[in-house]
Amino acid sequence: MSIALAQTSPARTALRKVSLSGIATAGAVAAALTLVPTTAQATEPAAATTQTKTVSAPAAKDVKSVKPAKSTKTAPSYPDNLDGWIRESLAIMKAKGIPGSYEGLHRNIMRESSGNPNAQNNWDINARNGIPSKGLLQVIQPTFDRFHVAGTADSLTDPVANITAAANYAAHRYGSIDNVNSAY
């Protein structure tokens, strides 16, 4: 199949026949050259001429496969508030196999610190012994050190680290933070 194309120039009008198979071949070559750069692409472009050149498509072995980009998952983002700290802790707990629920964590946090990550108990036996309970779930430093969960901050008053370490302690001592209904 051939198509007649008119080419207009200021000086003259010419009629050329272009083969569809030639267009398909040229298109395939252009696509291949776009995907697989060659030294030919780095050379100076040829001067525009009215001559027709025959270009063949590259052999299949010359075309390199392109691997798709790896899908990157972004880490979930949690708000910097009690709800966000509990949800982030639950995600870590789930990954580490530590049992507990939002309700169990929230209930114990409200009882222990009223949701204040900087709460500190300065009156109980631990405080009198020089190791006051701190944070959302009122953990003492030795308990935090023993039950700290890798992947959280190494800080007793960090909300997520405090919740996760306390839940880990409660899981070992009571089976789950959900089973704690008083000071622990």
Side-chain angles (χ1 to χ4, degrees):
M1 172 182 216
S2 296
I3 300 175
L5 298 175
Q7 180 179 345
T8 307
S9 69
R12 66 186 195 327
T13 301
L15 189 64
R16 297 189 183 256
K17 288 189 175 185
V18 180
S19 161
L20 284 182
S21 64
I23 292 172
T25 300
V29 170
L33 291 175
T34 301
L35 294 174
V36 183
T38 64
T39 55
Q41 288 178 310
T43 61
E44 290 290 323
T49 64
T50 57
Q51 295 178 356
T52 302
K53 292 183 180 181
T54 304
V55 181
S56 62
K61 68 179 181 179
D62 294 337
V63 178
K64 296 179 182 176
S65 64
V66 178
K67 293 182 180 178
K70 288 185 179 180
S71 172
T72 56
K73 290 184 178 180
T74 57
S77 178
Y78 300 95
D80 190 22
N81 60 28
L82 183 58
D83 179 67
W85 302 327
I86 293 172
R87 291 188 187 284
E88 185 173 354
S89 294
L90 284 169
I92 295 165
M93 290 164 57
K94 181 178 180 182
K96 303 289 184 174
I98 301 169
S101 69
Y102 187 98
E103 190 278 326
L105 290 170
H106 189 270
R107 174 176 32 87
N108 282 288
I109 289 169
M110 296 313 290
R111 185 189 62 254
E112 294 291 335
S113 68
S114 299
N116 177 2
N118 298 310
Q120 181 170 317
N121 181 327
N122 291 316
W123 59 267
D124 71 0
I125 188 66
N126 291 319
R128 288 194 296 258
N129 289 333
I131 48 171
S133 304
K134 297 179 181 179
L136 291 169
L137 283 165
Q138 293 296 284
V139 180
I140 60 173
Q141 191 68 51
T143 302
F144 178 82
D145 293 342
R146 182 169 176 208
F147 292 96
H148 175 255
V149 176
T152 64
D154 193 18
S155 169
L156 176 60
T157 57
D158 176 83
V160 174
N162 186 277
I163 293 169
T164 311
N168 193 24
Y169 164 74
H172 282 85
R173 177 108 189 229
Y174 305 103
S176 172
I177 191 75
D178 297 340
N179 299 331
V180 178
N181 294 306
S182 63
Y184 59 110

